[in-house]
């Protein structure tokens, strides 16, 4: 579970700063009780000012659309943080962990990982010093991996000729449909959690997700005869599997997401045997909101407005290891990147 002390502490600090009261009206609604400032400096003393500043500088450089800097460091309780008035977002460090809060993540507090991981990113050695096992998640009711039926028979995309492909927007095997939507490139970087986070080359990833209308090929009414938005890729020498797709829609009851399964080899994947991990990819709320301004995503706008990570049945326990970093826009498309730690 998340430590919601950051929300309260940051709100208390900023509510005492007259110049920021108007900027924090959106935050005040989530505060149920006042929390006083703590005098303890123990955790602050343990945090490296240099590393903390490296984290903030990296966020402002790599994700300037959400953390437009430079901003000054603020200190309160056990946190060092920066606030970005133009976007309403916060990034803070506490006990060697990095937290983000604000509209970027649907006003949910998210632990996005250890300070060391962001320092590695800033130094150009992402994944070299820190990685964690990605959570095991449900494959959901529409996996198409031979494990269930779609009502007319076993649904198994992995047995289709041509399923090993990077561009998954069109159907194969005699089906001719193409999924429309905002272009999205997905890069999954597989690393060995038990082997110094070394990249895993030659592994296979089976990935699938819904259309912009929230439908799953092979299962949903109207697209049962299609198999688009499903594909298998092997990881290259850097451990990366890349897919070209569309930005998934948001259907009722779930935050936008993408499913994937990991296999030790292509042969294992195409025979639908021996998967070693099943998980899901989450997306920053601000990115989803931007993508859903495109044509064809009107239902997603309504559905997303009714959801948050806190009431999602998969991501409510946290997204720190599943939240993709995303760059791009509706015109040129988006690129989503996620480190996937496996054993």
């Amino acid at each position: 579970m998340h430590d919601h002390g950051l929300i309260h502490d940051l709100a208390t600090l900023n509510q005492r700063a007259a110049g920021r009261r108007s900027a924090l009206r959106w935050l005040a609604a989530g505060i149920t009780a006042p929390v006083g400032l703590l005098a303890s400096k123990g955790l602050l003393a343990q945090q490296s000012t240099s590393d903390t500043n490296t984290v903030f500088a990296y966020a402002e450089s790599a994700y300037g659309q959400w953390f437009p800097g430079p901003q000054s460091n603020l200190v309160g309780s056990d946190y060092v943080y920066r606030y970005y008035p133009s976007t309403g977002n916060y990034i803070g460090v506490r006990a060697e962990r990095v937290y983000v809060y604000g509209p970027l993540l649907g006003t949910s507090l998210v632990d996005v990982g250890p300070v060391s991981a962001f320092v590695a990113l800033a130094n150009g050695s992402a994944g070299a010093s820190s990685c964690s096992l990605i959570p095991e998640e449900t494959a959901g009711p529409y996996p198409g991996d031979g494990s269930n039926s779609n009502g007319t028979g076993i649904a198994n995309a992995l047995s289709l000729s041509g399923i090993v492909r990077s561009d998954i927007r069109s159907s194969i095997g005699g089906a001719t449909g193409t999924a429309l939507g905002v272009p999205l490139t997905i890069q999954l970087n597989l690393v060995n959690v038990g082997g110094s986070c070394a990249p895993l080359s030659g592994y296979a990833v089976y990935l699938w997700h819904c259309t912009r209308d929230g439908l799953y090929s092979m299962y949903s009414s109207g697209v049962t005869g299609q198999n688009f938005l499903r594909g298998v890729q092997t990881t290259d020498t850097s451990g990366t599997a890349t897919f070209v797709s569309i930005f998934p829609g948001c259907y009722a009851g779930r935050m936008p997401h993408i499913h994937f399964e990991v296999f030790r080899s292509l042969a294992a994947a195409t025979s639908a045997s021996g998967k070693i991990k099943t998980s899901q990819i989450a997306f920053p709320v601000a990115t989803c909101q931007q993508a859903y301004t495109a044509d064809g995503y009107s239902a997603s706008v309504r559905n997303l407005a009714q959801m948050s990570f806190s009431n999602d049945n998969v991501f409510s326990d946290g997204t720190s290891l599943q939240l993709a970093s995303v760059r791009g826009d509706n015109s040129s498309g988006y690129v989503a990147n996620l480190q996937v730690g496996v054993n």
Side-chain angles (χ1 to χ4, degrees), residues 144-146 156 158 190 200-208 231-235 260-278 342-343:
D145 61 359
N156 189 2
L158 296 175
L190 269 61
L200 292 171
S201 175
Y203 277 53
V205 177
Y206 168 47
L207 180 143
W208 73 98
V232 175
Q233 278 288 279
T234 54
T235 56
F260 66 92
E261 296 173 344
V262 179
F263 300 81
R264 296 195 188 279
S265 68
L266 182 59
T270 52
S271 63
S273 62
K275 64 182 178 182
I276 62 172
K277 180 61 66 175
T278 302
V342 298
N343 284 321

Side-chain angles (χ1 to χ4, degrees), residues 217-229:
S217 67
M218 305 181 75
Y219 292 88
S220 301
S221 177
V223 293
T224 54
Q226 302 296 333
N227 48 60
F228 44 54
L229 306 184

Side-chain angles (χ1 to χ4, degrees), residues 168-169 178-182 208-218 220-223 226-230 245-251 256-257 292 296-297 299-300:
I168 63 175
R169 291 174 291 185
T178 297
L180 302 178
V182 176
W208 73 98
H209 64 85
C210 70
T211 67
R212 66 182 180 184
D213 300 307
L215 305 178
Y216 282 90
S217 67
M218 305 181 75
S220 301
S221 177
V223 293
Q226 302 296 333
N227 48 60
F228 44 54
L229 306 184
R230 300 178 183 274
S245 190
I246 62 163
F247 206 97
C250 178
Y251 53 85
H257 62 283
Y292 293 163
Y297 287 95
S300 294

